[in-house]
């Protein structure tokens, strides 16, 4: 079986959530063929983190660049495919079908559609008042995957972040601008992942139920404060 890599970024603020996510991941026997990587800052204590690999960044920037620096991981090219999850995108089931989806279209960035029309989206997706082609979806930057051969696509994205970060609330608007302009994004991960949010618009973009999802991404207040107890109760 091809080697597969699951990775996270985490600092001390979100450590409890990462521990819960890895607990869920390791409890599922189907995921044993997938290796894990944690990208973190120099002050992050890794001794009790059950990840196989660590990448420590002195220039760790949680808000803008850290998740796109996975290319610094020396063993990256030994993997067929790679999946990134925010710490609050909690694994519930076997995630190998997500990797299958990624490997079926190896020249694309696989992500979750968060809105059907980015032109109607707010500051979390757009840079200023830029207008995109009609009916262009808005993508979430908290769950995405790619085949390792696509790692070359991340370097220009880092250059774009350096150029536009002063005008963006976080990485997601620049991530959207880049993958839309390059026409490399596909919204395949909505078939496997579920947005958990009180906002009614997410009911429209969810293509799978909470019960059937392999990954549940807790948005909004669940992310700000990281209530592991609340997430555990919802998923139980």
């Amino acid at each position: 079986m091809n080697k597969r890599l699951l990775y996270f970024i985490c600092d001390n603020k979100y450590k409890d959530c990462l521990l819960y996510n890895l607990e869920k991941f390791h409890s599922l026997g189907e995921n044993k063929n997938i290796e894990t990587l944690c990208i973190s800052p120099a002050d992050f204590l890794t001794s009790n983190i059950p990840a196989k690999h660590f990448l420590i960044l002195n220039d760790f920037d949680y808000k803008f660049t850290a998740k796109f620096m996975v290319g610094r991981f020396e063993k990256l090219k030994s993997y067929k495919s790679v999946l990134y999850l925010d710490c609050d995108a909690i694994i519930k089931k076997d995630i190998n079908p997500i990797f299958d989806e990624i490997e079926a279209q190896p020249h694309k960035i696989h992500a979750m559609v968060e809105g059907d029309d980015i032109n109607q989206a707010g500051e979390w997706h757009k840079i200023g008042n830029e207008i995109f082609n009609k009916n262009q979806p808005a993508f979430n930057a908290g769950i995405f995957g790619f085949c390792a051969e696509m790692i070359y696509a991340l370097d220009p994205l880092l250059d774009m972040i350096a150029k536009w970060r002063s005008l963006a609330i976080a990485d997601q608007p620049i991530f959207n601008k880049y993958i839309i302009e390059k026409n490399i994004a596909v919204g395949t991960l909505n078939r496997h992942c579920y947005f958990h949010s009180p906002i009614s618009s997410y009911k429209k973009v969810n293509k799978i139920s909470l019960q059937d999802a392999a990954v549940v991404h807790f948005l909004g207040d669940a992310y700000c404060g990281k209530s592991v107890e609340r997430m555990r109760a919802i998923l139980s």
Side-chain angles (χ1 to χ4, degrees):
M1 184 176 290
N2 292 320
K3 290 181 69 177
R4 294 168 164 178
L5 180 70
L6 167 67
Y7 80 100
F8 305 87
I9 62 170
C10 191
D11 57 16
N12 289 313
K13 183 177 180 181
Y14 302 130
K15 189 172 184 178
D16 287 349
C17 192
L18 176 63
L19 285 168
Y20 173 54
N21 213 346
L22 287 171
E23 170 195 319
K24 298 284 287 184
F25 170 79
H26 288 300
S27 71
L28 299 166
E30 303 95 326
N31 292 325
K32 287 183 178 179
N33 63 304
I34 301 166
E35 295 187 358
T36 51
L37 166 69
C38 178
I39 300 176
S40 56
D43 64 349
F44 185 72
L45 301 177
T46 63
S47 57
N48 67 332
I49 303 296
K52 185 174 179 64
H53 305 286
F54 295 91
L55 174 63
I56 306 300
L57 300 178
N58 290 323
D59 54 349
F60 181 91
D61 181 348
Y62 192 98
K63 194 173 182 180
F64 280 97
T65 60
K67 68 182 68 167
F68 305 119
M69 289 184 167
V70 67
R72 294 189 187 180
F73 179 50
E74 293 181 353
K75 297 180 179 180
L76 184 67
K77 291 184 179 179
S78 68
Y79 297 91
K80 175 67 175 178
S81 51
V82 180
L83 176 65
Y84 169 77
L85 296 180
D86 273 355
C87 289
D88 66 336
I90 306 298
I91 297 164
K92 284 179 67 255
K93 295 184 178 181
D94 178 13
I95 58 173
N96 277 290
I98 299 178
F99 285 92
D100 294 340
E101 192 90 62
I102 294 166
E103 292 168 15
Q105 296 186 71
H107 302 297
K108 295 290 186 179
I109 301 292
H110 296 255
M112 287 191 74
V113 172
E114 191 169 349
D116 292 334
D117 185 354
I118 194 171
N119 294 307
Q120 302 299 317
E123 61 181 355
W124 283 102
H125 291 94
K126 295 177 63 182
I127 300 173
N129 296 316
E130 184 166 0
I131 302 299
F132 295 90
N133 291 336
K134 187 178 180 181
N135 298 323
Q136 171 64 52
F139 293 93
N140 184 276
I143 301 177
F144 62 88
F146 54 92
C147 283
E149 62 195 75
M150 280 288 288
I151 190 61
Y152 72 87
L154 296 187
D155 288 337
L157 173 55
L158 287 167
D159 292 338
M160 185 177 279
I161 290 172
K163 179 180 179 181
W164 292 101
R165 62 181 294 153
S166 64
L167 299 177
I169 193 169
D171 58 5
Q172 188 161 275
I174 308 172
F175 175 73
N176 272 271
K177 178 177 173 64
Y178 177 74
I179 60 179
I180 289 170
E181 289 182 356
K182 296 294 185 181
N183 192 30
I184 55 174
V186 286
T188 49
L189 301 193
N190 291 71
R191 293 197 282 262
H192 306 274
C193 307
Y194 179 91
F195 287 122
H196 187 278
S197 171
I199 301 173
S200 60
S201 61
Y202 286 101
K203 294 179 180 179
K204 183 178 180 180
V205 297
N206 278 324
K207 306 300 182 185
I208 192 170
S209 69
L210 174 68
Q211 291 73 25
D212 292 335
V215 175
V216 176
H217 193 184
F218 287 86
L219 302 177
D221 291 342
Y223 188 79
C224 304
K226 294 294 187 192
S227 174
V228 170
E229 292 76 15
R230 179 171 177 265
M231 290 187 282
R232 192 185 298 272
I234 290 169
L235 296 179
S236 63

